[in-house]
């Protein structure tokens, strides 16, 4: 389907430098059941927007795909025209890998089908689903897949990077629950990857990001999670040392039904938060006990009983999707974001002191630092069983500098970089690839995959030897000198 005259695109040139033939573009548009949005299309400005408004890219065209056939057409067209290709699921990538200047965006955001099979507790989900879409469908059956902690995040980018959230301690990373994926490869072929089909590709997809092809369907294992005992507890900043120590000492041995992360953030200046604390720096633990209130209170007691009274404790019984969506209103699309991440093995008092000092300098109310637990079920998968290598970390740290004001972009970036530089010596070399911008350099990407990088690079050579999919935390095909991450 062609949305506007595809002959009238501003820059009808492929990367070969040859003018792109109008007929070629017309044919491409007609080959789609979805929509081809070019620069003249009235919906172009809206369609090119990303979640992170700090990133402003102008693709040549956006192929909003309706199905795997559209994706095959789009991959073939982009490759043949030598266009840089970006793959977009939920559009939440920090560095805006869901778009690319002067290239083709393969936009999967409308491919949202979800089918739950209650007999096997499995879920098939389209690559345009957010975690909220899948939670909504599974909740009707008292089930959930371990995704992240914000329901508007796309499952595709999250899963392919690893995926950690409230249910991770008990049920593992999102990739540990991936059973099968349908993939359109760089040469346009459609394959299925699982433990028994294209096993090397399946291994690489579980953590290797969008490097290996376009996933058009995911099959997940889901688990019982229905009405949970969870929510946020906030303390004043003066109590942060005590809270972070108690969290560090207790959580690794806590029951795995308890997922809890610690954060340094501010009390949001909005109802229902207590007015006298609006905008004040704070320390928070956000928890999810997947069980009864009685057991949840028992699980939290060793943590809470020895701490000063919090500003508020809003833990209570709620549907799992409600907890997942708790932060959504605070984090709408269109804010400025700058991210840094690290894997963290241990959290000595000196590191906690550095965290507290750096967080106190945050340039905006929304800016935060979170430590997500990496233990329990995550550790029961071997380091080389999936591409995701940091199985022996204890936490995954994210520093996220966030504000609505584009004028603050430089301050946000500076704070996150300074914070990271002062805390990084306490941490591992690598970090979660989904918590990085596009300025980390190849060494950091390699460090994030550790000993698995070489194998990833071999798999990349098998499935994408020309690095067609390079708008990502790029893994270079083994032995190749092809271009790495596009400058776009
Ligand atoms: C508010 C917020 C909260 C977050 N919370 C968490 C969290 O709790 N846990 C966690 O693990 N992560 C979290 N993240 C990070 C998140 O995992 C990444 O931002 C992820 O990239 C989002 O996926 P997406 O599909 O929305 O992104 P997109 O921007 O659409 O895609 C990002 C990249 O993923 C790849 N990709 C996407 N779809 C496909 C596909 N179908 N086939 C192949 N490659 C594809 C491509 O390389 C693409 O460029 C959070 C991010 C945000 C903004």
């Amino acid at each position: 389907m062609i949305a506007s005259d595809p002959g009238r695109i501003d820059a009808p040139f492929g990367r070969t430098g040859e003018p792109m033939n109008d007929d070629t573009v017309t044919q491409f548009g007609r080959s789609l059941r979805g929509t081809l949005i070019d620069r003249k299309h009235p919906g172009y400005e809206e369609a090119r927007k990303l979640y992170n408004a700090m990133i402003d890219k102008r693709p040549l065209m956006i192929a909003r795909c309706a199905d795997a056939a559209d994706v095959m057409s789009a991959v073939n067209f982009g490759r043949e025209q030598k266009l840089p290709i970006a793959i977009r699921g939920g559009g939440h990538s920090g560095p805006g890998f869901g778009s690319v200047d002067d290239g083709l965006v393969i936009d999967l955001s409308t491919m949202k089908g979800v089918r739950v099979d209650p007999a096997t507790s499995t879920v098939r989900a389209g690559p345009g689903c957010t975690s909220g879409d899948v939670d909504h469908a599974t909740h009707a059956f008292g089930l959930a897949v371990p995704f992240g902690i914000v329901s508007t995040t796309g499952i595709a980018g999250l899963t392919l990077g690893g995926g950690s959230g409230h249910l991770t301690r008990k049920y593992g990373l999102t990739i540990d629950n991936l059973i099968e994926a349908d993939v359109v490869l760089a040469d346009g072929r459609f394959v299925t990857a699982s433990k028994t089909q294209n096993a090397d590709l399946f291994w690489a997809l579980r953590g290797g990001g969008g490097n290996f092809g376009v996933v058009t369907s995911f099959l997940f294992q889901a688990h019982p999670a229905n009405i949970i005992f969870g929510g946020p507890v906030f303390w004043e900043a003066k109590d942060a040392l005590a809270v972070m120590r108690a969290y560090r000492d207790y959580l690794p041995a806590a029951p795995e039904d308890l997922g809890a992360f610690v954060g340094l953030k501010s009390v949001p200046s909005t109802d229902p938060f207590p007015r006298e604390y609006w905008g004040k720096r704070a320390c928070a633990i956000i928890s999810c006990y997947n069980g009864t209130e009685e057991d949840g209170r028992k699980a939290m007691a060793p943590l809470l009983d020895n701490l000063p009274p919090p500003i508020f404790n809003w833990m209570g019984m709620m549907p799992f999707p409600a907890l997942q969506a708790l932060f959504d209103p605070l984090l709408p699309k269109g804010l400025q974001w700058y991210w840094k991440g690290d894997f963290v093995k241990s959290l000595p008092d000196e590191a906690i002191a550095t965290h507290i000092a750096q967080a106190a300098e945050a340039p905006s109310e929304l800016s935060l630092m979170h430590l997500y637990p990496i233990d329990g079920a995550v550790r029961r998968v071997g380091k080389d069983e999936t591409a995701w290598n940091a199985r022996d970390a204890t936490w995954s740290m994210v520093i996220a500098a966030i504000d609505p004001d584009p004028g603050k972009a430089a301050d946000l970036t500076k704070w996150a970089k300074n914070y990271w530089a002062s805390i990084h010596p306490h941490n591992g070399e690598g970090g979660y690839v989904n918590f990085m911008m596009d300025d980390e350099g190849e060494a950091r990407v390699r460090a994030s995959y550790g000993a698995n990088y070489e194998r990833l690079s071999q798999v990349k050579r098998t499935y994408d030897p020309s690095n067609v999919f390079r708008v990502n935390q790029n893994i270079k095909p083994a032995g190749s000198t092809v271009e790495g991450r596009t400058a776009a």
Side-chain angles (χ1 to χ4, degrees), residues 42-106:
Y44 175 80
E45 286 304 321
E46 194 53 40
R48 76 181 183 87
K49 278 187 194 157
L50 296 167
Y51 180 80
N52 182 2
M54 200 183 276
I55 314 293
D56 183 23
K57 296 184 185 176
R58 291 186 62 79
L60 203 54
M61 56 187 100
I62 299 165
R64 190 161 282 162
C65 297
D67 53 24
D70 279 2
V71 175
M72 290 159 84
S73 269
V75 169
N76 286 331
F77 175 81
R79 187 193 62 249
E80 284 160 10
Q81 298 302 324
K82 296 195 166 35
L83 293 171
I85 295 176
I87 311 167
R88 186 185 307 172
H92 266 220
S93 155
F97 286 148
S99 190
V100 60
D101 278 325
D102 301 326
L104 171 68
V105 174
I106 298 181

Side-chain angles (χ1 to χ4, degrees), residues 421-469:
S422 59
I423 198 65
H424 183 64
H426 293 285
N427 298 338
E429 269 310 300
Y432 179 33
V433 289
N434 277 356
F435 290 159
M436 290 180 189
M437 301 299 280
D438 61 357
D439 54 4
E440 299 267 355
E442 199 187 332
R444 268 279 278 178
V445 177
R446 279 179 178 268
S448 301
Y449 291 113
N452 287 343
Y453 187 89
E454 289 311 320
R455 185 170 165 197
L456 276 165
S457 174
Q458 299 287 345
V459 180
K460 177 81 172 173
R461 184 172 63 183
T462 306
Y463 290 95
D464 183 15
S466 305
N467 211 0
V468 168
F469 302 116

Side-chain angles (χ1 to χ4, degrees), residues 80 238 253 293 415:
E80 284 160 10
K238 69 177 173 53
E293 175 164 0
W415 173 74

